[in-house]
Amino acid sequence: MSFVYHEPKTVQEVIGLLLQYGDDAKLLAGGTDLMVLLTRFKVDPKHVISLNGVQQLTGIYKNATGNLEIGAQVTHREIEKSPLITESLQALKQACSTVGGVQVRNLGTIGGNLCNASPAADTPPVLLVLDAMVNLKGPKGARSLPLQEFLLGPRKVNLEQGELLTSIQIPEVSPNTATVFLKAGRRKAMEISLCSVSARVTLNRNGTADVRIGLGSVAATAVRAHSAEDLLQGKVITTELIKTAAAAAVNDCNPISDVRGSAEYRRMLVESMVRKALIQCLDILQDSNAGTKIS
Ligand SMILES: Cc1cc2nc3c(=O)[nH]c(=O)nc-3n(C[C@H](O)[C@H](O)[C@H](O)COP(=O)(O)OP(=O)(O)OC[C@H]3O[C@@H](n4cnc5c(N)ncnc54)[C@H](O)[C@@H]3O)c2cc1C
């Protein structure tokens, strides 16, 4: 393995290098995915372009529109510890805090997690329920996409030649919202997920709910469980309704069998984890006195 290592300082320089070297180039963020591929000879770039010197890709902040913006180079550990990730965005902290061990989280970035496009990645199901947009920059300028349109399949993202992910944008979440992330694996820590579920529940004044559910590791990309959401949307949530919706969520996934578990087992996990995630969201809302009791 041999390559030329580049250390650009600006996004424009990165775009220039990507255009110059095309398919011979690979971007390097934290390297926790890329280095594994390099050392196993699964990729063999002639040019490695480090993003670590590009200040424009760092930081967690409120942008001009009031949305939360997270630079592509922000690490999982920074998200875990950020005071800007408030109570209602707990699911994002929960997801980031389950990525590998502390060493991996100190290096691994949210941008790398999305661009690596593993169906088992932990942040996409959460970012889907948070209606996250990805901000991209390339030779034709800047564009933004809903995350679902960015994730095209295993190891495939919607990036054009010379383009990179610059940041992730999360619209403001209403105060009476709870979010949860749950992950199942063969062991409790340092584990790639067998199935992951994120839920977001907002309780309206009249007791009805707005609900979003994201699933990971059970389809080619993270997906929203629209069938389950439709059953809950605008309704007063009851235990019975949660049960019905959790069963419906199984229709929204398309799992495979692999070394980590069978497709059938993953479907069972989807049903039980969706139920658990919804109940946990309602428990959080009840504890914060914003919610109503479910019957
Ligand atoms: C021991 C171990 C445990 C792990 N456990 C988990 C886990 O539990 N959950 C989980 O989700 N992941 C896990 N991972 C995978 C990995 O840590 C994460 O996916 C991490 O977020 C990747 O980020 P990175 O900065 O290291 O990406 P890199 O490895 O630097 O890059 C990954 C890919 O994204 C591309 N890329 C990076 N940034 C950009 C950008 N801004 N624009 C365009 N393309 C870009 C790179 O070219 C590369 O193809 C684990 C990895 C290891 C080694």
Side-chain angles (χ1 to χ4, degrees):
M1 172 200 341
S2 105
F3 50 78
V4 181
Y5 184 73
H6 301 265
E7 284 185 319
K9 293 279 174 275
T10 65
V11 168
Q12 265 330 104
E13 281 178 62
V14 176
I15 295 168
L17 289 164
L18 284 172
L19 281 180
Q20 188 175 349
Y21 298 114
D23 291 344
D24 283 340
K26 270 277 172 204
L27 293 178
L28 174 82
T32 59
D33 278 316
L34 187 66
M35 290 311 292
V36 175
L37 296 177
L38 276 171
T39 52
R40 290 182 185 166
F41 303 103
K42 292 203 169 150
V43 292
D44 186 20
K46 300 287 167 268
H47 296 267
V48 170
I49 305 166
S50 168
L51 298 176
N52 288 296
V54 186
Q55 274 299 313
Q56 292 153 285
L57 302 176
T58 62
I60 304 177
Y61 51 93
K62 287 263 178 171
N63 67 17
T65 57
N67 291 341
L68 187 73
E69 197 150 332
I70 305 177
Q73 280 294 100
V74 168
T75 64
H76 297 292
R77 195 77 177 137
E78 284 176 87
I79 292 173
E80 258 183 281
K81 295 189 164 282
S82 170
L84 284 176
I85 312 290
T86 52
E87 275 300 303
S88 46
L89 300 180
Q90 273 312 305
L92 188 56
K93 282 197 178 180
Q94 288 168 337
C96 289
S97 66
T98 67
V99 173
V102 176
Q103 293 92 334
V104 169
R105 300 203 289 277
N106 274 332
L107 284 172
T109 62
I110 190 160
N113 201 232
L114 296 183
C115 293
N116 189 55
S118 161
D122 285 325
T123 63
V126 178
L127 292 170
L128 283 181
V129 304
L130 294 176
D131 295 331
M133 303 282 292
V134 291
N135 295 330
L136 315 173
K137 267 198 188 127
K140 294 183 199 152
R143 63 182 179 127
S144 298
L145 287 178
L147 178 60
Q148 192 77 82
E149 290 175 27
F150 182 67
L151 302 170
L152 299 181
R155 311 257 174 232
K156 276 195 215 131
V157 287
N158 191 342
L159 279 176
E160 291 175 3
Q161 193 75 35
E163 236 179 4
L164 74 153
L165 171 70
T166 53
S167 63
I168 295 104
Q169 216 179 129
I170 300 175
E172 197 166 352
V173 170
S174 95
N176 50 338
T177 296
T179 61
V180 158
F181 173 78
L182 301 175
K183 172 173 172 176
R186 289 172 303 179
R187 56 183 187 189
K188 286 199 170 144
M190 287 287 288
E191 177 64 336
I192 301 293
S193 83
L194 188 52
C195 171
S196 65
V197 169
S198 184
R200 162 185 174 167
V201 177
T202 303
L203 282 183
N204 303 313
R205 276 175 198 277
N206 61 2
T208 61
D210 291 328
V211 178
R212 286 172 182 59
I213 299 163
L215 309 175
S217 276
V218 289
T221 66
V223 289
R224 287 268 295 275
H226 288 294
S227 319
E229 291 177 6
D230 290 348
L231 288 167
L232 298 162
Q233 199 59 29
K235 306 261 173 62
V236 174
I237 298 185
T238 61
T239 312
E240 205 46 46
L241 201 51
I242 288 178
K243 227 170 124 186
T244 312
V250 175
N251 301 323
D252 296 309
C253 66
N254 186 19
I256 55 163
S257 297
D258 64 12
V259 284
R260 288 199 286 278
S262 68
E264 201 39 47
Y265 182 50
R266 285 186 155 103
R267 284 193 197 93
M268 286 166 60
L269 285 174
V270 165
E271 182 168 353
S272 70
M273 289 168 71
V274 166
R275 190 165 56 225
K276 198 168 163 189
L278 290 169
I279 290 170
Q280 282 192 14
C281 282
L282 290 167
D283 284 348
I284 294 168
L285 289 165
Q286 272 177 27
D287 286 350
S288 66
N289 293 323
T292 49
K293 219 172 167 51
I294 55 165
S295 49

